[in-house]
């Protein structure tokens, strides 16, 4: 999970089911195999690709770490890299990820194994055919509450009365603002939202600190400050930035097309 590979157990399960000629998921897997995936980990044998070039430096580094982890997992478990990357791309672009994994009974943990028991990704055949509607979404994916047999039971619920032949649409971003989900859409789904290019991103520790060091060296007002005092100031800036980065949960700062920070960044 810390390496950004929380989807790996589900991806490995897909690889295992594809090798099982009698799998009850065979028709579904055949359908998945006919779809072309364009997200960031659909191809993991190289770090040179257009998707990474379109990302900010923080997101690109994140993808490189994920690709490195997939290559290592494929080598360690004798899984074909192309097959594992395909399965990972399927999970990232089609699965539902619960924020909190429902607790499993000891019997269920023994049945699926301790690693899969921590996995929060679930593929939802039929539901995963629903397209992204953004603000036009007319349905939502929700947990099916009070199901004693399956804590992962899930349903698709209409947000309003639907007309006959009306396309069902959900919001892949779950209502979050464009600046916060632009990276997710590009990396997980392989497309960019309209207007997403209007936002710029800067990592607090990766981009902001080096920039501070660059312009503070040229600031005329700092020339009379002693070297020891400058070092103390820099150390304090580093502590404040580290604390702000932790509060921001490691996400980059987002700025609009005129350089103003978005409400999410200001908060």
């Amino acid at each position: 999970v810390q390496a950004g590979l929380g989807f790996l157990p589900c991806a490995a399960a897909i690889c295992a089911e594809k090798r099982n000629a009698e799998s009850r998921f065979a028709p579904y897997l055949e359908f998945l195999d006919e779809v072309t995936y364009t997200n960031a980990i659909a191809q993991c044998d190289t770090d040179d690709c257009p998707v990474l070039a379109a990302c900010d430096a923080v997101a690109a580094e994140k993808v490189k770490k994920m690709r490195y982890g997939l290559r290592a997992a494929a080598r360690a478990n004798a899984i074909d890299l192309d097959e594992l990357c395909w399965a990972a791309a399927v999970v990232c672009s089609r699965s539902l990820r619960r924020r909190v994994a429902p607790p499993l009974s000891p019997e269920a943990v023994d049945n699926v194994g301790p690693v899969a028991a921590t996995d929060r990704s679930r593929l939802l055949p039929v539901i995963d055919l629903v397209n992204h509607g953004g603000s036009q979404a007319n349905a939502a994916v929700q947990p099916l509450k009070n199901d004693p047999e399956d804590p992962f039971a899930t349903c698709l619920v209409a947000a309003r009365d639907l007309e006959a032949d009306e396309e069902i649409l959900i919001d892949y971003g779950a209502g979050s603002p464009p600046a916060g989900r632009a990276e997710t859409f590009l990396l997980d789904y392989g497309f960019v939202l309209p207007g997403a290019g209007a936002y710029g991103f800067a990592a607090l520790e990766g981009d902001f600190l080096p920039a501070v060091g660059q312009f503070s060296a040229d600031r005329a007002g700092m020339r009379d400050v002693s070297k020891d005092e400058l070092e103390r100031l820099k150390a304090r800036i580093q502590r404040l930035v580290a604390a702000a980065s932790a509060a921001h949960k490691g996400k980059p700062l987002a700025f609009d097309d005129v350089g103003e920070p978005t409400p999410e960044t200001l908060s």
Side-chain angles (χ1 to χ4, degrees):
V1 173
Q2 291 179 346
L5 299 172
F7 53 81
L8 193 55
C10 192
I14 292 177
C15 293
E17 290 296 334
K18 282 195 71 176
R19 298 179 182 181
N20 179 9
E22 300 180 356
S23 171
R24 58 173 159 172
F25 301 108
Y28 178 59
L29 293 173
E30 290 178 7
F31 161 74
L32 294 180
D33 210 13
E34 296 173 356
V35 179
T36 300
Y37 298 93
T38 59
N39 55 15
I41 55 175
Q43 182 181 359
C44 294
D45 56 346
T46 177
D47 291 334
D48 183 20
C49 73
V51 172
L52 282 184
C55 297
D56 64 274
V58 177
E61 189 62 30
K62 184 187 303 182
V63 175
K64 289 179 181 178
K65 289 181 180 179
M66 291 166 63
R67 290 182 173 186
Y68 175 83
L70 282 170
R71 291 194 289 265
R75 288 194 301 269
N77 296 280
I79 301 176
D80 180 76
L81 179 59
D82 289 339
E83 181 183 12
L84 184 59
C85 289
W86 169 83
V90 168
V91 176
C92 286
S93 63
R94 308 188 76 93
S95 69
L96 172 76
R97 274 168 278 182
R98 300 280 283 272
R99 290 184 176 88
V100 179
L104 299 180
S105 66
E107 294 79 10
V109 173
D110 290 339
N111 185 41
V112 301
V115 176
T118 64
D119 184 23
R120 293 177 289 176
S121 302
R122 290 295 184 272
L123 289 168
L124 306 173
V126 181
I127 289 180
D128 67 2
L129 295 174
V130 179
N131 284 323
H132 170 64
S135 61
Q136 305 301 315
N138 53 25
V141 180
Q142 298 179 357
L144 187 61
K145 299 178 180 179
N146 303 320
D147 188 325
E149 297 184 1
D150 185 1
F152 277 95
T154 306
C155 56
L156 183 65
V157 180
R160 56 171 173 77
D161 292 340
L162 303 177
E163 301 290 337
D165 297 326
E166 181 180 359
E167 181 180 8
I168 299 175
L169 300 170
I170 61 175
D171 182 1
Y172 288 3
S176 58
R181 56 183 172 166
E183 176 184 304
T184 298
F185 275 66
L186 180 63
L187 301 187
D188 284 354
Y189 302 113
F191 64 85
V192 179
L193 293 168
Y199 295 92
F201 298 91
L204 273 164
E205 296 186 80
D207 298 320
F208 181 69
L209 279 179
V212 168
Q214 183 64 36
F215 65 67
S216 64
D218 300 327
R219 191 181 300 167
M222 304 295 285
R223 291 174 182 170
D224 296 330
V225 179
S226 68
K227 184 177 179 180
D228 290 342
E229 186 64 22
L230 276 176
E231 292 302 320
R232 283 195 290 270
L233 283 171
K234 289 180 180 179
R236 182 168 180 79
I237 289 173
Q238 290 175 345
R239 289 196 298 271
L240 291 171
V241 168
S245 182
H248 210 60
K249 299 180 180 179
K251 296 180 180 178
L253 304 178
F255 302 86
D256 63 21
D257 55 350
V258 295
E260 293 295 325
T262 62
E264 295 74 39
T265 289
L266 284 174
S267 68

